[in-house]
Amino acid sequence: MSEYKYKIVKSFVSELQRIFRDPGVMVIFIVATLAYPLIYKALYWNEQICDVPVAVVDLSNSPESRTFLHRWNASPDIRLTYSCTSMAEAEQLLREQKVHGIIYFPHDFARQLADPLGKAHISLYCDMSSFLYMKAIYLSCNQVMLESMRNIQIDRYEQMGMDKEFAWALVQDAPYTETALFTPTGGYGSFLIPAVLVLILHQTLLFGICMLGGTAREENEESYSFSSLIGRAGACFLIYYGLAAILLGFFPRLFDLLIAPYLLAVIFFSLCVSVFIRNRESGLVLLISTSLIFLFMAGISWPKEMIPSAWRYLSYFIPYTWGAHAFIHINSMGATLAQTSMEYTALWILAGGYMLLACGLFYLRKSALFRTSRPLPE
């Protein structure tokens, strides 16, 4: 037993030395892991877009349409920059990216408002090339429209002979309140950054471990013993536990219970993949080809219900899927450990499963090397 402990400790120290002697791995493990969050945070520092240019096509040219536009232009989110005489002119401005939205008032807008049974229509066109443009235009217009509808209802109740106070009371019976759940700013950064931080841990670990495996294979220094497996895993776990605390902003108390199974699951998953890596460059290809796939498959940036079943089931075998949901639930939604028990259990199952799989792959690889009479380091 003491011999196994000695081999594990020796492998642990050897792996730490390999990591700190390899400039490429140090860049991935330390520099990239700490620099990427700063870059993403800088990109999404301003979570709200102001003064989004919008074109107006007002065929009604009535006091009602001008009042609506005046209220909307008072919003800090948009700026009415062009007044067009036709939709063709406005569409040309949109194609040239001079505006990111169009509002259209038909000829009969004022007449329909004056009719107690009429239905006035406003058409809003948004530039869908950016979620932030669409959000700023749509939400600000929606707020003005709801306020205008309230005034229109009161005017129509008065035309029906109701007292103004009674009409106001009827309208107030159905108030409208907008509440942004879990993202107080309503910004894209608050929604996406937590998931990206967890993905950075996953992908830099995967890339770094594959680089180490590829280097060992190129230099004929492969070691596939059980002590090597545990030593390599322990070295990566020691480094990344500290990095995780920094990267996730000294993660919430509950998430530090989840970070251990998450890191172990990622480490053993990466060790399994590293068995098939033949050189250092292969890890880079793997990093580039899987990052966006993992992000989408996790159901964070794209609704999980819209992902094909085969891809959704495959995502359950990726540690990032469970780690991202657990961190978002605890960090952004204030969930308790009991409410994240499914993610917690899944991460431990993946950690144990990938550890067993890594042991099997290491054994098969060691047997293959033995048959080819290649020297095996301890």
Side-chain angles (χ1 to χ4, degrees):
M1 190 66 180
S2 59
E3 182 181 354
Y4 271 110
K5 288 182 180 179
Y6 173 75
K7 288 184 177 180
I8 290 174
V9 172
K10 182 180 178 181
S11 177
F12 173 80
V13 174
S14 175
E15 188 69 10
L16 284 178
Q17 291 175 344
R18 288 181 61 207
I19 291 172
F20 286 102
R21 283 201 305 258
D22 192 323
V25 174
M26 286 297 294
V27 168
I28 297 300
F29 274 8
I30 308 296
V31 179
T33 303
L34 297 179
Y36 278 155
L38 297 178
I39 295 173
Y40 275 100
K41 195 63 179 177
L43 291 174
Y44 294 104
W45 182 262
N46 294 320
E47 298 195 52
Q48 300 288 342
I49 289 185
C50 299
D51 295 331
V52 177
V54 176
V56 177
V57 181
D58 186 5
L59 301 184
S60 172
N61 195 24
S62 61
E64 291 81 3
S65 62
R66 289 193 292 271
T67 299
F68 186 97
L69 293 173
H70 177 74
R71 290 175 178 172
W72 193 27
N73 199 35
S75 167
D77 297 330
I78 64 101
R79 185 177 76 257
L80 302 179
T81 52
Y82 291 92
S83 180
C84 305
T85 58
S86 66
M87 277 298 297
E89 182 182 350
E91 289 173 3
Q92 181 62 32
L93 292 172
L94 187 62
R95 281 192 290 268
E96 295 173 357
Q97 292 290 289
K98 293 182 179 179
V99 298
H100 297 290
I102 302 171
I103 188 168
Y104 172 82
F105 294 88
H107 289 283
D108 62 347
F109 177 73
R111 180 170 56 82
Q112 291 292 340
L113 286 181
D115 186 353
L117 300 178
K119 294 182 180 180
H121 295 276
I122 298 175
S123 298
L124 182 67
Y125 303 86
C126 299
D127 182 359
M128 294 300 293
S129 63
S130 171
F131 167 78
L132 295 179
Y133 292 143
M134 184 275 292
K135 173 179 172 289
I137 295 172
Y138 178 78
L139 291 183
S140 60
C141 183
N142 190 52
Q143 291 173 353
V144 175
M145 183 177 64
L146 290 171
E147 182 65 28
S148 300
M149 287 174 57
R150 180 180 300 176
N151 296 330
I152 293 169
Q153 284 180 305
I154 293 174
D155 291 340
R156 289 186 174 182
Y157 285 148
E158 289 180 351
Q159 291 176 15
M160 296 169 60
M162 292 185 183
D163 181 72
K164 186 171 185 177
E165 293 184 0
F166 182 68
W168 180 259
L170 286 177
V171 173
Q172 288 296 101
D173 284 342
Y176 170 80
T177 303
E178 180 181 344
T179 303
L181 294 175
F182 313 124
T183 53
T185 62
Y188 198 62
S190 299
F191 157 74
L192 185 63
I193 292 301
V196 170
L197 295 181
V198 180
L199 181 63
I200 289 172
L201 287 177
H202 190 287
Q203 293 301 87
T204 53
L205 250 177
L206 176 62
F207 185 23
I209 290 175
C210 287
M211 282 183 66
L212 290 169
T215 301
R217 197 163 187 176
E218 288 177 345
E219 298 176 355
N220 293 328
E221 295 180 353
E222 301 168 271
S223 179
Y224 294 105
S225 61
F226 178 75
S227 59
S228 173
L229 173 69
I230 300 301
R232 292 170 65 182
C236 294
F237 183 85
L238 177 65
I239 294 172
Y240 263 78
Y241 197 89
L243 289 174
I246 299 172
L247 185 63
L248 303 180
F250 296 100
F251 39 78
R253 291 185 63 86
L254 285 180
F255 193 70
D256 61 7
L257 299 174
L258 285 156
I259 197 66
Y262 175 66
L263 288 180
L264 289 173
V266 176
I267 289 169
F268 287 121
F269 169 78
S270 302
L271 287 170
C272 291
V273 176
S274 70
V275 174
F276 304 97
I277 299 299
R278 294 183 175 274
N279 50 60
R280 290 170 65 90
E281 293 74 19
S282 300
L284 179 60
V285 176
L286 190 65
L287 173 72
I288 296 173
S289 62
T290 59
S291 295
L292 286 178
I293 294 176
F294 288 168
L295 184 63
F296 276 92
M297 285 172 59
I300 302 297
S301 61
W302 189 256
K304 185 178 293 186
E305 293 75 16
M306 298 182 66
I307 300 175
S309 299
W311 288 102
R312 189 167 65 250
Y313 293 140
L314 180 61
S315 71
Y316 297 153
F317 294 94
I318 308 299
Y320 168 70
T321 300
W322 302 101
H325 282 283
F327 182 64
I328 290 174
H329 291 168
I330 292 173
N331 182 70
S332 302
M333 301 181 179
T336 63
L337 185 61
Q339 292 170 326
T340 55
S341 59
M342 182 173 67
E343 290 82 1
Y344 182 72
T345 304
L347 286 172
W348 276 117
I349 293 174
L350 286 179
Y354 280 123
M355 179 182 175
L356 294 175
L357 180 60
C359 289
L361 291 174
F362 271 42
Y363 176 78
L364 292 175
R365 183 61 186 160
K366 184 177 181 180
S367 301
L369 290 176
F370 180 78
R371 287 195 298 270
T372 57
S373 301
R374 291 178 57 183
L376 291 175
E378 290 293 333

